[in-house]
Amino acid sequence: MVTLVTSNPAKYAAFAPDLERLRLKPEPPPQPLPEIQGLNFIETLTAKARAAAAMFGRPVIVDDTGLVLEAYPSFPGPLTATVLRSLGAAGLGRLLNGVSNRATMECHLGCWINGSLRRWAGVVHGQIDLSRQPRDPRMLLSDLFVPDASELSQPALQRAIARRAGESPTLLHRALALAALETDAFQLHLDVSAPENGGERSCGRRAGYDCPFCAELEGGGPNLFAELMGDQLSSRVVYEDEHFIVMPPLGEFMEGGLLVLTREHILSLAHLKPEQFEHLERLLVAIKKLLVKHWNVAPLVFEHGPAPDWSKGVCCVDHAHLNIFPALVRVHPHLADRMNFFVGSLEDLAQLRHAEFGYLFVQENDGARSVYDGQGVPTQLVRRFITAEIGVADRWHWRDYLGKDELLATYNALKGQIKL
């Protein structure tokens, strides 16, 4: 969790589902934060974010909100609460008499991290309607500020409203600020959780864990594959080199499915050595060509990378591996509500080794790559999506459908065919 410091957590009550999804926890400061008296949001936000980081001993998010009047540039801005408390509705009316009543409501979120401010803003345009009668002096802006109708058509606001954020004028600017933060939320979590000394967290085989992949590949003893396949196939490896091994999986719900495993037991692909990422890129290109040749589909590629606290489900294997299936299925729509970001090179996965939560990596049929927040992911989640869309929903769990015939067919078709 990343702390969202606010003296009034109730301001964000309407956004509880969004905060939970982005893993932000509203929390009041242990003592009042210093308030810089000025008209510049960036200056006041910077001072507040630095003070909050020092107070909590870690990067945290702070907010600064206010009204900006077109007739008085930058005013009252960060001073809104003080000014409106002094003016009241009547005083605001006198201030705007004979001048424009146009205004903006602004919310600025900031985090002081690595010696600089990261900022996200939400700005809603509208006007002050002095013909309205405020119900409560504390609700002055709620009653008098009227957002432009065009503002409500913004996609970010439509999503916020759909998530029960409401349509109150005092919420729309917060909705936009959170929407702006959402695009960077995953990266923010990674940066906040990165070890300060640059050290690595352990990613090897944990004590007491018998890895079924290692048992199978090292030989010399019983293993799950031999137990389930008996004498039908002594080894399912179709390709191997100094870094990776390729073989069809147990639970082969369709022909052409493959696993790409690291030869070394590591927790996830995020822990690959720098030179191994380039090697894996070439291997995936070779596999894609072969699957397109045999099944006429550019494959889906995905990984469930567990967190360093071994958060992957008990039905999964904590040995880095990619799942590959020649299935024409779009996965992103199923995962879009999770924190996510697009990645280009596989090397971008390296930053996830410091994540305090697990991740899902997906390469779509068209080659687009995304990483999703993996906390609380049900076992075999992506397999569930794929099997449902190709019409074999009862095959999603490998123990319920071993797919021996499909495994053997894949092995016979691809053995010795992958060439780098």
Side-chain angles (χ1 to χ4, degrees):
M1 284 283 188
V2 173
T3 300
L4 170 59
V5 180
T6 173
S7 58
N8 182 15
K11 294 187 301 186
Y12 286 94
F15 297 96
D18 296 281
L19 298 184
E20 182 178 359
R21 184 169 51 85
L22 300 178
R23 230 162 302 136
L24 305 178
K25 181 181 180 181
E27 185 176 334
Q31 60 192 61
L33 290 170
E35 294 285 349
I36 303 300
Q37 300 302 303
L39 298 179
N40 187 302
F41 277 115
I42 297 179
E43 290 180 1
T44 59
L45 193 69
T46 299
K48 186 182 290 189
R50 292 185 69 172
M55 186 178 294
F56 282 81
R58 63 182 186 276
V60 296
I61 297 173
V62 298
D63 71 348
D64 206 352
T65 62
L67 175 76
V68 176
L69 300 170
E70 183 181 77
Y72 305 97
S74 302
F75 181 82
L79 302 176
T80 295
T82 301
V83 169
L84 293 186
R85 189 163 51 245
S86 300
L87 289 178
L92 182 61
R94 290 192 297 271
L95 187 67
L96 294 177
N97 186 34
V99 298
S100 170
N101 67 345
R102 298 287 299 165
T104 59
M105 286 282 286
E106 301 189 16
C107 176
H108 297 264
L109 301 174
C111 180
W112 186 260
I113 184 169
N114 298 327
S116 63
L117 178 73
R118 295 191 194 175
R119 182 174 65 95
W120 305 271
V123 178
V124 176
H125 298 84
Q127 61 183 350
I128 303 298
D129 185 352
L130 294 169
S131 67
R132 295 185 171 194
Q133 292 299 317
R135 296 162 295 173
D136 185 325
R138 295 170 298 179
M139 302 295 291
L140 188 63
L141 288 181
S142 298
D143 293 331
L144 299 185
F145 181 78
V146 180
D148 295 339
S150 59
E151 297 288 84
L152 297 176
S153 65
Q154 294 187 56
L157 288 183
Q158 290 295 315
R159 289 193 298 270
I161 292 169
R163 292 169 179 161
R164 302 181 302 281
E167 298 185 31
S168 168
T170 57
L171 292 179
L172 298 183
H173 58 315
R174 295 188 194 280
L176 286 177
L178 286 173
L181 170 61
E182 182 173 351
T183 62
D184 297 327
F186 205 135
Q187 186 63 55
L188 180 65
H189 279 280
L190 295 178
D191 293 341
V192 168
S193 63
E196 292 184 5
N197 60 7
E200 295 293 331
R201 289 172 171 155
S202 173
C203 67
R205 200 184 312 187
R206 67 186 187 273
Y209 176 65
D210 295 322
C211 174
F213 287 154
C214 291
E216 177 182 347
L217 298 173
E218 292 169 1
N223 64 79
L224 183 63
F225 174 73
E227 174 188 333
L228 295 175
M229 292 298 293
D231 297 330
Q232 291 182 275
L233 192 64
S234 59
S235 170
R236 53 176 163 157
V237 174
V238 299
Y239 170 87
E240 59 183 318
D241 57 38
E242 68 272 27
H243 299 305
F244 301 102
I245 295 167
V246 182
M247 60 190 192
L250 293 169
E252 183 79 293
F253 56 78
M254 64 182 300
E255 288 187 19
L258 293 171
L259 298 176
V260 177
L261 292 77
T262 55
R263 184 172 288 279
E264 177 187 5
H265 185 105
I266 58 176
L267 188 61
S268 70
L269 295 180
H271 294 277
L272 287 176
K273 297 178 175 64
E275 66 276 10
Q276 292 175 326
F277 284 109
E278 190 277 333
H279 188 109
L280 181 56
E281 292 277 17
R282 291 189 289 111
L283 179 56
L284 289 183
V285 169
I287 291 173
K288 174 184 174 181
K289 290 180 179 178
L290 195 57
L291 295 187
V292 169
K293 175 183 177 182
H294 283 268
W295 287 278
N296 201 34
V297 175
L300 281 170
V301 181
F302 60 94
E303 179 202 15
H304 181 185
D309 64 355
W310 313 98
S311 65
K312 186 182 282 189
V314 294
C315 294
C316 299
V317 180
D318 289 326
H319 181 137
H321 63 281
L322 284 172
N323 298 266
I324 304 177
F325 289 97
L328 192 60
V329 173
R330 181 94 168 115
V331 175
H332 180 72
H334 297 283
L335 298 173
D337 278 344
R338 291 179 173 269
M339 282 194 297
N340 66 86
F341 65 96
F342 292 104
V343 296
S345 168
L346 290 176
E347 195 169 2
D348 292 338
L349 297 178
Q351 62 188 310
L352 296 163
R353 67 186 61 173
H354 300 308
E356 80 274 20
F357 45 84
Y359 69 88
L360 287 173
F361 164 73
V362 178
Q363 177 176 306
E364 304 277 6
N365 300 110
D366 62 3
R369 292 167 168 172
S370 298
V371 172
Y372 303 86
D373 174 8
Q375 181 155 314
V377 168
T379 184
Q380 317 285 306
L381 180 62
V382 179
R383 286 174 58 103
R384 298 187 201 203
F385 299 148
I386 299 172
T387 53
E389 292 206 22
I390 66 174
V392 290
D394 58 331
R395 299 183 181 184
W396 69 268
H397 200 294
W398 67 271
R399 282 196 179 276
D400 295 332
Y401 187 84
L402 287 177
K404 292 183 179 181
D405 292 340
E406 290 84 354
L407 187 155
L408 290 169
T410 302
Y411 174 85
N412 291 327
L414 303 182
K415 173 65 175 175
Q417 298 299 306
I418 299 175
K419 307 292 183 183
L420 263 65

